[in-house]
Amino acid sequence: MGRNQDYKNRALNSLEGKWGTAAIAALIYFALSEGISWVITTPMGDMTMSYSTQGFWELLCLPLGWGFTILFLNLIRNEDIRYERLFDGYKDFIRIFLAGFLVLLAVVIGCIFLIVPGIIIGLMFSQTEYILKDDKEISAADAIMKSMKMMEGHKMELFWLMLSFIGWFLLCILTIGIGFLFLAPYFNTTMAHYYEDLKAEQGM
């Protein structure tokens, strides 16, 4: 596996000439997943109803999140990155939704007990979305198990790669969130390159 900076440099090279498309894709994703949620829940006076509605909407957006992640795997493979690809997860809704829900549930449960178990679980299951993309026949549960196997001995390595973006994350907060339109593509493209190397290393 490569060094953190190598993956980030490769991501920047992949995004060259495509930053505009990537940023608009991020804008569409954030507008639909977070913007609509805010519009729906803000007028609600009942906090319980507001949180319940927000949670329900975020669950419905799990396939959209999958589509956003996979868009950048397509990008580094020079495949189709038209904006409608963001909605591909809804074409395989049950499998994509179930995988996303199970991963989210496991991470939340892990974080409830202690933050560290939640982080470890998230790292273990981090390749699930890519596996679902590359294997159209694999079940949600098997994709999660395959991700666990792929990440054996690599969790700390991926953790440090993700943590290397913390400075950019803090800087984006100072831009009132606008910077995330560029950080999200940068981060996801880096993760896509990491998956490709991990997959190649394990002969998958």
Side-chain angles (χ1 to χ4, degrees):
M1 301 297 290
R3 298 180 305 163
N4 289 351
Q5 194 57 51
D6 291 336
Y7 288 116
K8 295 166 88 169
N9 289 340
R10 286 162 61 186
L12 291 173
N13 289 334
S14 295
L15 285 163
E16 187 174 354
K18 301 174 183 175
W19 279 106
T21 299
I24 293 174
L27 178 61
I28 293 171
Y29 170 66
F30 289 132
L32 293 176
S33 62
E34 303 298 333
I36 291 181
S37 174
W38 182 81
V39 170
I40 293 174
T41 58
T42 297
M44 294 182 178
D46 188 325
M47 294 299 293
T48 301
M49 179 64 70
S50 177
Y51 285 131
S52 298
T53 302
Q54 182 178 8
F56 178 72
W57 181 256
E58 289 179 358
L59 287 176
L60 285 180
C61 286
L62 286 175
L64 178 65
W66 179 86
F68 183 64
T69 298
I70 297 306
L71 184 76
F72 297 98
L73 182 61
N74 289 346
L75 184 147
I76 70 171
R77 292 175 174 177
N78 295 313
E79 296 177 357
D80 186 5
I81 57 170
R82 290 175 297 169
Y83 302 127
E84 51 263 42
R85 296 280 74 81
L86 289 168
F87 305 97
D88 281 353
Y90 293 98
K91 298 176 182 177
D92 190 9
F93 182 81
I94 294 178
R95 194 172 69 112
I96 300 301
F97 174 81
L98 184 58
F101 177 76
L102 291 174
V103 169
L104 178 63
L105 181 63
V107 171
V108 169
I109 291 175
C111 288
I112 287 175
F113 289 102
L114 284 172
I115 297 298
V116 173
I119 294 174
I120 293 174
I121 291 170
L123 293 167
M124 287 167 55
F125 298 162
S126 60
Q127 308 307 304
T128 302
E129 293 178 308
Y130 303 117
I131 293 167
L132 290 169
K133 156 70 174 177
D134 283 340
D135 188 343
K136 300 296 191 296
E137 303 300 323
I138 196 170
S139 69
D142 286 343
I144 292 171
M145 295 302 294
K146 187 173 181 178
S147 176
M148 290 177 60
K149 184 175 181 180
M150 289 181 72
M151 287 303 297
E152 289 179 0
H154 292 282
K155 290 184 284 294
M156 186 57 68
E157 175 184 84
L158 180 58
F159 173 75
W160 287 118
L161 177 57
M162 291 179 168
L163 194 64
S164 70
F165 284 89
I166 189 66
W168 288 111
F169 180 86
L170 296 174
L171 184 61
C172 286
I173 294 176
L174 297 178
T175 67
I176 321 176
I178 296 174
F180 286 109
L181 297 180
F182 299 93
L183 178 59
Y186 182 23
F187 178 83
N188 279 284
T189 305
T190 301
M191 294 303 118
H193 275 295
Y194 180 85
Y195 166 72
E196 291 286 68
D197 275 13
L198 187 62
K199 181 181 176 183
E201 181 188 75
Q202 301 183 9
M204 295 182 179

